[in-house]
Every structure is written in structure tokens, then in C-alpha cells.
Amino acid sequence: MAAKKTRILIAKPGLDGHDRGAKFIARALRDEGYEVIYTGIRQTPEAIVQTAIQEDVDFVGLSLLSGAHNELFPRVVDLLAASGAGDIVVFGGGIIPEQDIPFLKNKGVAAIFGPGTTTRQIIEFLESPRESS
Amino acid sequence: MPKEIRKQKEEWERCIVEPLLGLHPERMQTFITGSDKPVERLYLPEGNCEEEYLEKLGFPGRYPYTRGVQPTMYRGRLWTMRQYAGFGTAEESNRRYRYLLEQGQTGLSVAFDLPTQIGYDSDDPRAEGEVGKVGVAIDTLRDVEILFEAIPLDKISTSMTINAPAAILLAMYIAVAEKQGVGKEKLRGTIQNDILKEYVARGTYIFPPEPSLRLITDVFAYCSREVPLWNTISISGYHIREAGSDASQEVAFTLANGIEYVRAAIRAQLDVDEFAGRLSFFFNAHNDLLEEVAKFRAARRIWARIMKERFQATDPKSMMLRFHTQTGGSTLTAQQPDNNIVRVAIQALAAVLGGTQSLHTNSREEALALPAEESVRLALRTQQILAFESGVTSTVDPLAGSYYLEALTDRIELEVWQYIDRIEALGGMIPSILKGYVQKQIQEAAFRTQKDIERGERVVVGINKFRMDEEKPQNLLRVDPAVHRLQIEKLSRVKESRSASRVRAALEKLREGAKQDGVNLLPPILEAVKEYATLGEICQLLREEFGEHRETIVL
Amino acid sequence: MDLVTEVRRGNLRAIARTISLIEDLEPEAEGLVDALYPYTGRSRILGVTGSPGAGKSSLVDRLITLERQRGRKVAVIAVDPSSPFSGGAILGDRLRMQTHATDPGVFIRSMASRGFLGGIAAATGDVIKVLDAAGYQSIFIETIGVGQTEIKIVELSDIVLLVLMPGAGDEIQAMKAGVMEIGDIFVINKKDLPGADKLLAEVEYVLSFKNSVQTAGREAEYPEGYNPILMTSAVHEDGIEQLREAIECYAGQIESSGKLAEKRRLRLERELLGILNRKVHELMDVHIEVSKQLPGWAERLYRRDALPYTLINEQIRDFLKERTGD
């Protein structure tokens, strides 16, 4: 068994308590061989960033269904950059209207996975080679 | 199964079915319900018909209420058409409520934003990005006054989807009614007030279980005396189903929560018949039409028996399971949103055939955003067409006697009792939640369902079958980000114009009451909201006295 | 960045990256551990183990609060098993400690067992050194105590807290004797659940072959050489202060009696042995590729075409010949 593993933080920023999707993704990624750190609901962007740094994750996946994504996702990206961890890749999922995706990508969110996304699509994203930032 | 029928069934299978299967096999190896349970080819009468009928079905409006809680059901009165709505500021929501009432909606249903549901004011840093997004932002009594502007509270029943701070919102509603000159004894409505399901399926809890139950039983006691027409709780299975449970689990965990609430009220020295008549329930209407109808009927039969045998209720009202239904949000797709209109119609039909007392139908774009006016109007029309054109309201419990339906009803009932027994063995619902038993069941079912969908074994039209390229939907409703700023301004104006000393005094009185066990907190909360204490101030005080609940169960 | 300097300065990113290098078995890891070694030795290492659901993380969460109130920096290593099927893992222990996520004086790291050769204990031991050198005065290692691997992890600690809870039935039996043996302080958590007293009696019985005493007083007074037993409820924040005091008291005792120094020396012996075994294995592996050859060897043995010791001795002889031939 290879020692090196890809580590992913799955986090729910803000007050939204709907965690069915986040829990499913965490489990599905585990089944694909990833190490998933899951921190539960009601995480502030600050806590998410500190967690990402301490756990030295490669990716942070943010799940949000309450419509606060335009405020909270960029906040996580900015805080990561400010802490010298801008190389950690941030992606998001939940209820996010198509119209908001360009804005979020502009703010540094690498990908958004809306309703109907399959595990396969997320795996493909995680495994695709990335330009070093 | 009666002997002759069984004999002929076997002969039919041998001589007619088997040969046919050789030429035309069935479409699938096994057919399953929406909850992964097997469905037989044909259902036939089982057992001794007359005795069984009287024991298990009986008559609507009579124990065990399987066929309905009222004798005439929709022949007497249609279900309440109650569309859940709320977003942005109280002004905007008020406009949407008045629109819906004009369009023929018969009751209000208020959606609150997450900061309100979790007891934070709009100016709290934790409210960042959330103000007004999933519901209306309420910080003080002032917002509630605006929310019900020009809406006569003596003529309208209002359901408020609020849980941890339910007592506070109820107090605000009472205060607004008072200002309209409407006495509390006239008020009709519901507060969801169901904290147990928050811990396992919805996440908007604040305090730990014990003090939360205290607040809930305070509401029971206060309303039984002061607000007798009010439904003090809406024990919910909707969210449990949305979190991924199957139909039997939905009923089982809801009724187990119900048992816990009844126990808590009895511990608080309330007599069961004093409050039980005002308990109400809230279920999901999911995809599998017949399984859902069976589910509702099973739920009624089981609850009636629980109330009669376990709690010795004597008032028939205490044994009647009255419920609101919402069509299942998680069944809707972002792809090909028009399909959702059809899904909702079928789900609404299930709720009506199942005898619901009130109904919310989702709108076409709800997998993407809160609904636009036209969409919610169409959802309302769906109910109106069902009510006035479909004919299913002309008789009570029309599907009764269907062999399949009765078999489903019996099977669900059996499974529900098994879950309830298991939970009792664990010590009741609270230990079951703290141990993670309930969450585990839900998560396992959710995981299985999603895997089935990804493998294509469970078809979702437009997602894993009949897909197409499509234009992205336009003109989705967006909550104006200015709401946050507006709310903060409004809040500071209210704080300026209120009497700081009277607020302090009222809060101190509340704190004293919270520290003691036997004090009903509704009166001090009512006093505090009348002085325009904010929701955040009251909840912060209660957080200090009661503590905060923290999630402990992972996966 | 110069990781050694940055780790010593307490740079969180540097600490995290160094831990990853150790976990990933990167070649630089050895040099880093050695470079940091001189700065270690000041931390108190507490192993926390017990059956799943006993409330270990919640207990650690409360202890962190108390430590922080006294101005001590705290680190936590939470170990969870990797899936034997996929090799992945869900690491969720920190969920119960997340209130400390933004406290700069608290460092929490989740580690998966990853099926390391020689067990995860080796990596954990090195991670402890990094956190020690970074200035964390208390380091908690949290793991489920149900097997040999977990015992190895717990042997890395100065003091072992064994956490039990009532109502888990025949749990004491299920706990291998080894685990009960190495416990220093026994905690019965969720003491408000029925069966707490029964469990206490069971624990006292099992420990009656050692010296133990239940202690719940304000001061953790108990005779030296005794194992304290405490009743707590992490959720209700009950008994935690007493637990902290018991830990302090116990730590003081093993320090002054020299038992701690002895324990640490023994630990270092085990560690060196581990490194030696691993290195030798690695060395042979370069030449022989053990894992590739193993199935073939086993097949020959299965067919009775070879003899076990002869086969291995041959391999070693060939390897040594090659080496001296270099």
C-alpha cells in the first residue's frame, strides 16, 4: 500500500445544517482511497482554514445549501491565501446557481458541483493534473 | 390467505404466468419500492376479512383512525393549502403572503432565515451571508409586526417553521395579535418546535436536549391554558426522510420522537389529554405513490395505539394523528426542472389519498433557488386541481381495500414497531440519538440510495436516464444582498427607540426564571419581546443558562 | 522555507508539512526528525484510548480547555484506522474538538493508520517529536484501543488514559488484557448512564491484581503506585477538573520516582529497534524486493518444493554475498 495519500477536508461553512450530501461525498471519497477529514456543520471560514493548514490537506471541499456561498466561499479562499496556504485547492458543492459560478471561479474556487453531480465527476476533478499556482 | 384463493393463485402462476415469462420476461428481476422493499406481482385478500377489517381499518374518525381522522374528511373540508414562504425582509415576505392569500391559499406558512432559526441577530458576525437567504430575517417584534401587516390574525391560521427559538417567535406572534386587538384564545396555527429531529436531520439546534425539552413543555402548558387553538408542535418526519431515511424509518423516528415529547410533558406534570390533542405531525410525500399512501395510514394506526395503550389517553383527540405534508424536496432535479412539476403532482396526490390535513407543494425550480411568483402559483394550482377536478376528494380513503395498499400498510406498520422497540431497548430517543443509532440508520439508507442512483439501478429521469443538453434556467429568484444592510439598519433603529432599562429588567426576569425548574418561561419571554428585546439577546441569555449542543456523531 | 527553523518557531504550516513528510515516508523526513530531536523532551505525552463511543474526543476537548486556561500549548494526534478495502479513511475525531480550531495554541492532526509496515506507531512517534520541538507542552494521542496496533501507539505515551463507558456489556473482556495492563489512569465517562457503578466495580475487580483506588476528591490524593479511577461526564463537564488534577498528580509521582525516565528509556529502546528492523528490511528489499517475491516463495512452500527456514536463510546468504561483493 503506497504511503502517500491525498487528503481532503470536507467542511460546511456558515449555519446550514443539511449534511446529507457532505457526508455522502466524504464516504464516497474514502471508498476511493482518499483520506477525508470531516469537521461537521457550522464551521466558520477561519476554523476551516486553520483546519486545512494543520491537516495539510490538498483540497478543501465546501458544502453549502443556504445561499451564502458568494460570501463564504471567497472568504475561505482569501484566508487560505493570507495564511500562505494558497496552494490548497478549494472546490464547492450544494445549491449554487449557474450564474454564480463565474464569480466564484474568479474568486479562486476551482470547481463547483451542483445537484446531480456524481462521485465520478468529483474524482475526475481531484485526479486531473493541476497547474501549480 | 383463504384456501381457495391460494390454490387458484398457484394454478394461475403455473399455467398462465410462467409460460408468459418464458416469452416476455418482466422488465426487471425484482421490483422494489422507493424504500428498497420488494413488490409482489399480485396482492390478494389475506386472512379473515370481516374481523380484520374492523380491527385494522375501521371507520374514519374512529379509533384506530387508519382511514382518516375525520369522518367526512375532504367531503367536509378540504385540506389547508399552505405554501411555505419567506425570504429577505419582513416587508418582502409580507407581500408574498398577501399575494398567496389572494390566489386562494388558505393558511400561511412562514420560513425564517438561518440566523433567526439559530438565535442570532442579523448583525452577528455568524450571520454573514445568511441574512434573509432561506427565509425571512426576524430580529425583533418590529419585524413580526411588519410580517403580518394587513393580515388579520383572527381569520388566518399560521404555521411557523421555527424550532429552537419557537417559544420566542410564538410570543412575538401573540404580541402582534394583541396589537391587532385579537385575543390569544382566538389564535390558530402551529409552531414546529420539534428539537429532536434537529439533532439528527436538520441541524438548527441551539441548546442541549434537556433544556430544549423544558422549553417545549413550557409551550405545551402555556398554550393549553392561554392559546387553546394552537398546535404546539409539529413532530416532523419530513426532514428525516430528506436526510435519506426510508418510509418506515421516517414514521418510526417521528413517532419515537413523539413518544419522547409526551413523556417529557407528563414528567412536567401535564395530563396527557390536556396537551396531546394539540400535537401535530409533519411528513414527507415522496415518489412511490402507493408506498406513501400506505405510510400515512400506518402512521395513524400506530400513533392511535401508542396514545391509547402506552399513555392511556381517553380523549379521542389525543389519539388522532393530524399532519401537514410537504412534497419531497430531495426528489427534485436541477436538470429539466419542468419534470419537477409532474413529480410534485404525483407526490401531492399521494398526500391527499393519504388523508393529510394540510399540504405544501414544491415549485419547479426548487432544486436551484427559492421559487418565483409564477412557480409557486403553479404549485398552488396543482393542489387546487387535485381538490376540485380529480374527484379523489369525493370519498374517504378511496384506496382502502386495495390488496397491495393494505399489504404495504401492514408491512410498514410492522417495520415501524420494530424500530420503536429497538429505540425503547436503547433507553428511548435521546439515548438513541446520543449514541448515534438514529443517525446511522439514516446515513446508511442515504448512502445506499445515492449509490443506487449513481449505478443507474434507481432511475431518476433527467439525471441518469433521458438526459439532454439544456439551457440553464434564467430569472431565478435571488435574495437581494442589500437585505443584510437593511436589516442591520432596522435593528439599530429599533434598539435606539426602545427603553434599554426595561429591556434589561425583562431579560433579568427571564434569566431568573431560566435558572429555576418550575417556572414557565413563556410569560417572561412575552414581556421581553414586548420591550423589543432582540431574538439574539434572548437566545444569548438562554445559551448562557442552558449551554449549547454540539454535534458529536460523525459517520 | 527552512522547515526545522520554522517548526521551532511554531509556524503551523511548517509543522503540518513536516508531519506530512513523515506520514508519506519521504526521504527528507529522517533528516528533519534528527534535526529536531535535540529540541525534544519537554512535552508530556498522554495516550487516550478506549472503545469507540466512550467519549475520548469529547474528554480530550474538555482537557484542552483546562490546559489552555493554564496557558499551556496543546497538540492532539487523533489516529483512526484506514479502510482495508480502499486504503482511504474518514477522520472525524477533530469534529468534537473543533471549538479549538482557531486557537493558535492548539494543534490538532488527524492520522490514518494507512497499513504502514511496522504499524503506524513509528510515524506517530516521529510526529510527536515534531510537536514536542514546536513547543506543545501537552500532546494527546487518541486512538481506539481494540488491538495490538493501538497498544503500540499507546506505548508511545508517558501516561495512558483508558476511557470506558457504562452499558457496553462485556466490554472489559473484549478489551484484551494487554490494554488494561498498560492503562495508568482509568476514566469511566458518561457516568450518568445506567450501569456506571457496575462498571466501576468491574474495573476495580480487574485492577485488584494491581493497586487502584477510585478518586474523585478535590485534590487527587492517592498513594503512590496506585492507579486512579475517575468518573466523568464530558458532555456535562463533570469530573474533568478532577481528571486533570489526577493527571498532574500522577505525572508528578512518576517523575519524582524515576518511573517516567525509565519508561522513556524503554520507549527509546523500542524505537531504535523499530528503526533498525525497518532499515534492515528496506536494505534487503532493495536487493530482493520482498513483497514481489513473497507469493512465489509461498507457492513453493505450499507445493512442498522448499523448506521455510532454508529458503529464507538462502535469501539472506545471497544478499550478504552481494553486499560484500559491492
Side-chain angles (χ1 to χ4, degrees):
Chain A
M1 213 180 287
K4 183 154 177 54
K5 296 284 174 200
T6 305
R7 287 164 67 92
I8 304 179
L9 170 62
I10 298 291
K12 287 197 61 67
L15 302 177
D16 168 35
H18 296 100
D19 54 9
R20 176 177 179 177
K23 283 179 168 170
F24 174 77
I25 291 297
R27 199 166 153 175
L29 292 177
R30 187 270 310 270
D31 289 347
E32 292 287 327
Y34 293 91
E35 281 178 6
V36 180
I37 291 113
Y38 179 70
T39 47
I41 64 174
R42 288 200 220 170
Q43 299 297 296
T44 59
E46 290 76 11
I48 292 171
V49 167
Q50 287 308 304
T51 303
I53 290 173
Q54 289 173 19
E55 300 286 353
D56 197 28
V57 298
D58 303 288
F59 296 91
V60 173
L62 302 173
S63 158
L64 195 138
L65 286 76
S66 66
H69 48 274
N70 283 343
E71 290 87 350
L72 297 180
F73 287 12
R75 178 78 71 79
V76 171
V77 174
D78 290 341
L79 283 173
L80 278 172
S83 309
D87 56 315
I88 298 179
V89 177
V90 179
F91 65 96
I95 302 287
I96 296 162
E98 286 281 327
Q99 293 103 292
D100 291 345
I101 295 182
F103 168 77
L104 290 171
K105 287 204 162 152
N106 216 348
K107 288 284 184 177
V109 181
I112 296 285
F113 298 104
T117 300
T118 60
T119 309
R120 194 93 309 273
Q121 287 168 298
I122 299 183
I123 306 283
E124 273 164 23
F125 162 74
L126 295 173
E127 289 180 358
S128 61
R130 217 160 306 282
E131 312 259 321
S132 35
S133 41
Chain B
M1 193 183 298
K3 253 197 327 214
E4 184 56 33
I5 295 181
R6 179 198 297 285
K7 195 159 143 258
Q8 295 207 14
K9 175 187 184 224
E10 281 162 11
E11 199 233 328
W12 167 78
E13 276 172 343
R14 224 179 27 248
C15 304
I16 309 223
V17 178
E18 295 292 334
L20 180 65
L21 289 182
L23 297 169
H24 294 292
E26 290 179 325
R27 285 182 299 106
M28 293 191 285
Q29 276 276 54
T30 41
F31 286 78
I32 49 170
T33 70
S35 300
D36 275 352
K37 305 290 156 67
V39 183
E40 297 299 316
R41 178 176 303 115
L42 182 73
Y43 285 87
L44 297 157
E46 300 274 343
N48 177 346
C49 291
E50 191 177 82
E51 202 178 287
E52 266 203 31
Y53 175 84
L54 292 171
E55 186 198 315
K56 287 163 71 171
L57 298 186
F59 293 85
R62 277 234 296 248
Y63 186 91
Y65 305 103
T66 314
R67 304 200 65 181
V69 294
Q70 287 110 7
T72 55
M73 285 303 292
Y74 305 131
R75 288 165 65 111
R77 202 179 77 166
L78 291 170
W79 65 89
T80 306
M81 301 185 189
R82 196 189 286 283
Q83 296 295 84
Y84 188 51
F87 51 88
T89 58
E91 286 86 349
E92 283 170 270
S93 298
N94 176 264
R95 266 199 297 280
R96 176 61 69 92
Y97 295 157
R98 281 151 71 177
Y99 174 75
L100 288 170
L101 290 169
E102 272 162 38
Q103 291 303 317
Q105 174 165 301
T106 41
L108 288 180
S109 177
V110 181
F112 298 96
D113 70 4
L114 282 173
T116 304
Q117 292 188 56
I118 302 181
Y120 295 122
D121 288 337
S122 303
D123 58 2
D124 192 302
R126 274 165 290 219
E128 177 73 39
E130 313 266 16
V131 177
K133 292 281 175 66
V134 308
V136 65
I138 300 290
D139 293 322
T140 66
L141 178 60
R142 184 87 201 96
D143 293 310
V144 182
E145 286 163 8
I146 297 169
L147 193 63
F148 294 107
E149 178 83 29
I151 294 177
L153 296 186
D154 53 346
K155 305 239 174 14
I156 280 295
S157 76
T158 304
S159 171
M160 296 194 277
T161 298
I162 190 80
N163 291 279
I168 304 167
L169 267 304
L170 176 61
M172 289 184 181
Y173 191 84
I174 290 172
V176 169
E178 233 172 76
K179 292 197 180 197
Q180 283 185 6
V182 178
K184 358 189 195 357
E185 70 286 351
K186 295 218 187 73
L187 296 178
R188 286 177 302 123
T190 309
I191 37 174
Q192 197 166 83
N193 199 24
D194 169 10
I195 201 65
L196 292 177
K197 62 101 170 48
E198 296 295 327
Y199 298 125
V200 305
R202 192 165 180 270
T204 64
Y205 45 77
I206 306 177
F207 321 110
E210 266 172 57
S212 302
L213 283 177
R214 182 249 177 109
L215 279 170
I216 290 170
T217 53
D218 278 358
V219 169
F220 289 178
Y222 183 81
C223 289
S224 76
R225 288 189 316 266
E226 310 280 342
V227 201
L229 300 178
W230 195 264
N231 294 316
T232 50
I233 190 171
S234 181
I235 307 168
S236 307
Y238 175 82
H239 320 85
I240 294 172
R241 192 67 181 273
E242 291 292 283
S245 84
D246 67 25
S248 303
Q249 291 166 341
E250 180 191 337
V251 175
F253 299 151
T254 307
L255 298 190
N257 283 342
I259 291 173
E260 210 54 52
Y261 291 126
V262 173
R263 280 206 192 112
I266 290 174
R267 269 199 311 270
Q269 313 294 329
L270 292 169
D271 177 71
V272 73
D273 288 316
E274 255 182 83
F275 65 88
R278 278 288 153 215
L279 304 176
S280 64
F281 291 79
F282 173 27
F283 289 114
N284 196 305
H286 218 262
N287 279 333
D288 189 315
L289 174 65
L290 297 164
E291 188 177 53
E292 294 300 290
V293 178
K295 175 188 87 182
F296 299 125
R297 300 165 90 246
R300 277 195 293 268
R301 187 156 77 206
I302 299 166
W303 185 248
R305 203 168 115 195
I306 289 174
M307 289 309 287
K308 178 160 180 215
E309 294 177 9
R310 231 172 257 233
F311 293 111
Q312 278 83 47
T314 48
D315 186 342
K317 287 207 171 56
S318 302
M319 302 180 235
M320 292 181 200
L321 183 144
R322 297 172 301 116
F323 65 100
H324 170 77
T325 308
Q326 176 167 335
T327 60
S330 59
T331 65
L332 305 183
T333 59
Q335 292 76 1
Q336 302 176 39
D338 283 345
N339 294 346
N340 295 328
I341 299 171
V342 181
R343 292 187 175 104
V344 169
I346 296 171
Q347 293 158 1
L349 178 61
V352 169
L353 290 171
T356 190
Q357 275 59 57
S358 79
L359 179 61
H360 163 99
T361 34
N362 287 331
S363 303
R364 67 183 276 282
E365 69 263 33
E366 289 210 59
L368 295 163
L370 295 184
E373 228 172 52
E374 317 80 71
S375 304
V376 75
R377 186 180 60 219
L378 180 57
L380 185 55
R381 296 284 178 258
T382 306
Q383 295 197 44
Q384 290 158 340
I385 291 169
L386 269 176
F388 296 107
E389 296 184 8
S390 75
V392 300
T393 54
S394 306
T395 183
V396 178
D397 191 28
L399 296 184
S402 146
Y403 308 119
Y404 181 41
L405 184 75
E406 299 303 344
L408 269 176
T409 308
D410 289 349
R411 196 208 74 222
I412 292 176
E413 182 183 10
L414 184 64
E415 286 171 4
V416 171
W417 283 118
Q418 283 167 351
Y419 281 115
I420 290 183
D421 288 342
R422 180 93 184 87
I423 289 168
E424 290 294 284
L426 287 170
M429 203 48 172
I430 293 183
S432 301
I433 291 173
L434 294 175
K435 286 185 180 139
Y437 167 74
V438 179
Q439 296 89 317
K440 185 152 191 281
Q441 301 302 308
I442 296 173
Q443 279 161 40
E444 292 296 315
F447 191 73
R448 260 199 323 270
T449 304
Q450 187 60 25
K451 276 290 165 195
D452 287 346
I453 292 174
E454 288 196 2
R455 280 197 295 261
E457 277 165 33
R458 183 187 285 265
V459 174
V460 182
V461 173
I463 298 281
N464 56 17
K465 210 164 174 170
F466 310 115
R467 296 162 57 164
M468 47 186 254
D469 286 322
E470 46 184 328
E471 289 284 307
K472 299 303 173 199
Q474 303 298 316
N475 300 323
L476 293 173
L477 188 131
R478 301 184 68 76
V479 175
D480 188 352
V483 169
H484 191 185
R485 190 182 37 86
L486 288 169
Q487 224 15 58
I488 294 180
E489 282 166 15
K490 204 197 293 179
L491 181 56
S492 63
R493 280 200 299 274
V494 170
K495 281 182 166 168
E496 270 162 42
S497 62
R498 65 184 188 175
S499 156
S501 59
R502 290 165 69 116
V503 171
R504 241 190 334 267
L507 289 176
E508 268 324 293
K509 200 135 169 270
L510 173 58
R511 192 186 290 278
E512 273 168 44
K515 284 193 202 286
Q516 296 168 43
D517 264 331
V519 175
N520 190 309
L521 294 179
L522 260 300
I525 289 175
L526 192 48
E527 282 313 304
V529 306
K530 282 181 180 172
E531 298 299 340
Y532 294 91
T534 73
L535 183 74
E537 284 165 346
I538 297 175
C539 287
Q540 179 52 30
L541 187 158
L542 293 175
R543 277 186 159 94
E544 286 160 18
E545 296 306 318
F546 294 154
E548 277 186 274
H549 177 80
R550 285 205 273 149
E551 190 180 359
T552 50
I553 303 302
V554 187
L555 292 151
Chain C
M1 86 172 108
D2 172 7
L3 285 174
V4 174
T5 315
E6 288 304 309
V7 165
R8 291 191 58 218
R9 283 182 60 225
N11 178 323
L12 299 179
R13 190 96 164 110
I15 296 168
R17 293 258 69 237
T18 308
I19 294 175
S20 296
L21 290 172
I22 292 169
E23 271 194 309
D24 295 341
L25 302 177
E26 296 289 348
E28 312 97 281
E30 282 184 20
L32 285 168
V33 172
D34 275 359
L36 289 168
Y37 187 74
Y39 307 105
T40 63
R42 290 165 307 171
S43 306
R44 176 185 300 161
I45 302 163
L46 297 125
V48 182
T49 190
S51 48
K56 296 182 292 302
S57 304
S58 304
L59 218 47
V60 172
D61 174 69
R62 305 297 184 270
L63 287 170
I64 295 174
T65 307
L66 294 180
E67 291 286 277
R68 292 300 293 140
Q69 279 168 10
R70 285 164 178 78
R72 289 167 66 92
K73 283 175 66 172
V74 183
V76 181
I77 302 171
V79 182
D80 272 314
S82 298
S83 157
F85 306 112
S86 69
I90 291 182
L91 307 170
D93 288 331
R94 80 175 293 149
L95 181 146
R96 296 175 202 100
M97 303 183 266
Q98 271 302 84
T99 49
H100 302 287
T102 50
D103 182 343
V106 179
F107 191 102
I108 302 172
R109 178 72 176 226
S110 312
M111 283 178 73
S113 61
R114 288 193 190 180
F116 283 110
L117 198 60
I120 192 188
T124 310
D126 286 340
V127 172
I128 290 173
K129 295 192 188 71
V130 174
L131 295 166
D132 190 340
Y136 292 94
Q137 291 136 309
S138 289
I139 301 176
F140 290 91
I141 314 171
E142 201 195 303
T143 176
I144 302 176
V146 292
Q148 279 304 308
T149 315
E150 286 69 28
I151 292 180
K152 285 221 176 75
I153 292 172
V154 137
E155 283 173 345
L156 298 166
S157 334
D158 297 327
I159 300 174
V160 178
L161 267 56
L162 181 60
V163 185
L164 303 164
M165 65 174 241
D170 51 335
E171 164 182 338
I172 305 265
Q173 260 105 304
M175 291 264 163
K176 308 285 178 174
V179 177
M180 289 295 279
E181 272 298 306
I182 58 175
D184 293 299
I185 299 177
F186 296 83
V187 183
I188 295 177
N189 193 31
K190 305 194 182 183
K191 66 178 211 184
D192 46 308
L193 289 182
D197 291 325
K198 181 158 167 283
L199 181 58
L200 174 63
E202 278 174 33
V203 172
E204 282 174 334
Y205 175 74
V206 174
L207 291 179
S208 61
F209 304 106
K210 299 170 86 176
N211 295 322
S212 68
V213 63
Q214 188 199 355
T215 172
R218 202 62 200 106
E219 295 297 314
E221 294 162 353
Y222 50 87
E224 185 168 333
Y226 275 70
N227 295 100
I229 307 176
L230 288 103
M231 312 274 281
T232 60
S233 168
V235 159
H236 295 117
E237 297 188 19
D238 188 358
I240 313 294
E241 182 57 52
Q242 288 86 321
L243 174 59
R244 194 204 64 82
E245 280 168 13
I247 295 171
E248 282 297 319
C249 188
Y250 192 89
Q253 283 178 359
I254 56 176
E255 261 168 66
S256 56
S257 70
K259 272 189 73 194
L260 179 59
E262 192 189 311
K263 203 171 182 188
R264 283 181 172 174
R265 283 197 174 82
L266 258 173
R267 187 161 79 221
L268 288 171
E269 274 181 37
R270 272 196 300 266
E271 217 185 285
L272 285 170
L273 196 57
I275 296 174
L276 182 64
N277 286 339
R278 262 196 334 275
K279 289 273 168 196
V280 168
H281 184 109
E282 270 165 32
L283 206 56
M284 284 201 67
D285 213 21
V286 166
H287 284 259
I288 300 177
E289 287 191 294
V290 174
S291 31
K292 278 215 182 121
Q293 302 264 19
L294 258 176
W297 296 343
E299 183 61 30
R300 284 171 56 196
L301 266 168
Y302 189 77
R303 294 187 196 291
R304 294 329 199 244
D305 276 348
L307 304 169
Y309 284 93
T310 312
L311 189 156
I312 295 295
N313 285 336
E314 257 171 29
Q315 296 296 328
I316 295 177
R317 237 192 339 265
D318 291 344
F319 162 71
L320 285 173
K321 264 204 218 127
E322 271 182 63
R323 287 291 289 178
T324 52
D326 280 344

